[in-house]
Amino acid sequence: MSQQDARSRLVEAGLEGLLAAGFNSTGVADIVAAAGVPKGSFYYYFDSKEAFACAVVDLWAARNTARRQALFVANRSMPPLRRLRAYLETYATALGERGHVGGCLLGNLSAEIADHSETVRGRLRAAFAEWQTMLRDLLVEAQARGDLRAGLEPEALAAYLVDGWEGALLRMKAEKSDRPLRLFITITFDHLLSGDP
C-alpha cells in the first residue's frame, strides 16, 4: 500500500467514524483498525488528532462541493430554485434512509469541538463559507431570472439557508425524524422564496 493510499484510507475511515460517533468518541485505534493500516502510521501522516479532523473536513467539503457543483452549476436544465430544492430534498431522503443519523459533519464538529480547537474551527468556517458562496451564486442567478424577489439579499439568504438547514439537521437527530428537514424545505420554498410579496 502506498503512502498516499494509507493516508486516504485513514481519512475515509475517519469520515465514517466522526459521522457515526463524533470526534471525542472516535479513537485513533478505531480509525487505524477501520482503515486497515498499521497502528503507528496515524502519527506518521498527521501531527495530531486535530490535524486529522481538518483532513476529514477537507474531504467532506470537497465531496459536497463537487455534488453542489454538479447540480447547481453544471445542470442548467432546471431553474435555480428547483435545483436547490432538489438538492435539499435528496439530502433529506438520504438521511431518512440512513435512519436520521450522521447529519452534517460540519455541524456536528462545530457543536462538538469548535469552541476548543482554533485549527478545526478555521477549517469549518472555510467550509461553511464555501457552501454559502455557492448558495449565494445560485440565488443571484434566480434573482436575475426574476424567480426571487428583488428586495431579498442573496448573501443574507444564503447564510440563512446554511444556518437553518444545520439547525433542522440537529433537530432531525434529536427527533429521529425527517420532519424538521421537510418543514424547513416547505417554509423556505413555499413561502420565503415563493416570489409572493
Side-chain angles (χ1 to χ4, degrees), residues 160 168 171 178-189:
Y160 154 80
R171 188 83 182 263
D178 68 352
R179 184 181 175 280
L181 303 179
R182 300 298 178 185
L183 182 61
F184 175 82
I185 291 168
T186 298
I187 296 297
T188 298
F189 291 94

Side-chain angles (χ1 to χ4, degrees), residues 4-18 31 35 42 45-46 51-60 63 105:
Q4 187 58 41
D5 286 343
R7 186 185 188 279
S8 295
R9 287 173 70 166
L10 285 165
V11 176
E12 289 280 356
L15 178 55
E16 293 301 316
L18 295 184
I31 295 163
F42 183 88
Y45 297 107
F46 305 101
F52 174 72
C54 289
V56 173
V57 169
D58 290 346
L59 175 64
W60 173 271
R63 285 186 176 168
L105 181 73

Side-chain angles (χ1 to χ4, degrees), residues 85 148-149 152 160 183-197:
R85 186 170 192 157
L148 192 64
R149 295 197 304 275
L152 294 175
Y160 154 80
L183 182 61
F184 175 82
I185 291 168
T186 298
I187 296 297
T188 298
F189 291 94
D190 293 354
H191 301 282
L192 179 62
L193 303 182
S194 68
D196 296 332

Side-chain angles (χ1 to χ4, degrees), residues 7-156:
R7 186 185 188 279
S8 295
R9 287 173 70 166
L10 285 165
V11 176
E12 289 280 356
L15 178 55
E16 293 301 316
L18 295 184
L19 271 175
F23 179 81
N24 292 319
S25 296
T26 304
V28 171
D30 302 319
I31 295 163
V32 296
V37 301
K39 192 169 186 177
S41 65
F42 183 88
Y43 288 106
Y44 175 81
Y45 297 107
F46 305 101
D47 293 337
S48 65
K49 194 175 169 192
E50 287 183 359
F52 174 72
C54 289
V56 173
V57 169
D58 290 346
L59 175 64
W60 173 271
R63 285 186 176 168
N64 280 280
T65 295
R67 287 186 190 109
R68 288 189 290 265
Q69 186 81 13
L71 185 57
F72 294 173
V73 181
N75 178 14
R76 301 268 179 175
S77 62
M78 192 185 300
L81 294 182
R82 282 189 49 206
R83 277 178 260 156
L84 178 55
R85 186 170 192 157
Y87 167 73
L88 295 177
E89 288 178 343
T90 298
Y91 198 166
T93 298
L95 287 166
E97 290 169 354
R98 288 200 305 257
H100 309 104
V101 298
C104 173
L105 181 73
L106 304 182
N108 295 351
L109 289 179
S110 293
E112 188 176 8
I113 62 169
D115 283 346
H116 313 293
S117 171
E118 182 60 30
T119 303
V120 177
R121 189 175 75 82
R123 229 36 165 267
L124 292 167
R125 187 174 58 236
F128 276 128
E130 182 177 28
W131 180 14
Q132 182 174 319
T133 296
M134 293 187 82
L135 291 175
R136 181 204 62 206
D137 292 348
L138 195 66
L139 293 168
V140 166
E141 182 186 345
Q143 207 162 48
R145 285 172 42 96
D147 297 340
L148 192 64
R149 295 197 304 275
L152 294 175
E153 170 52 49
E155 189 73 54

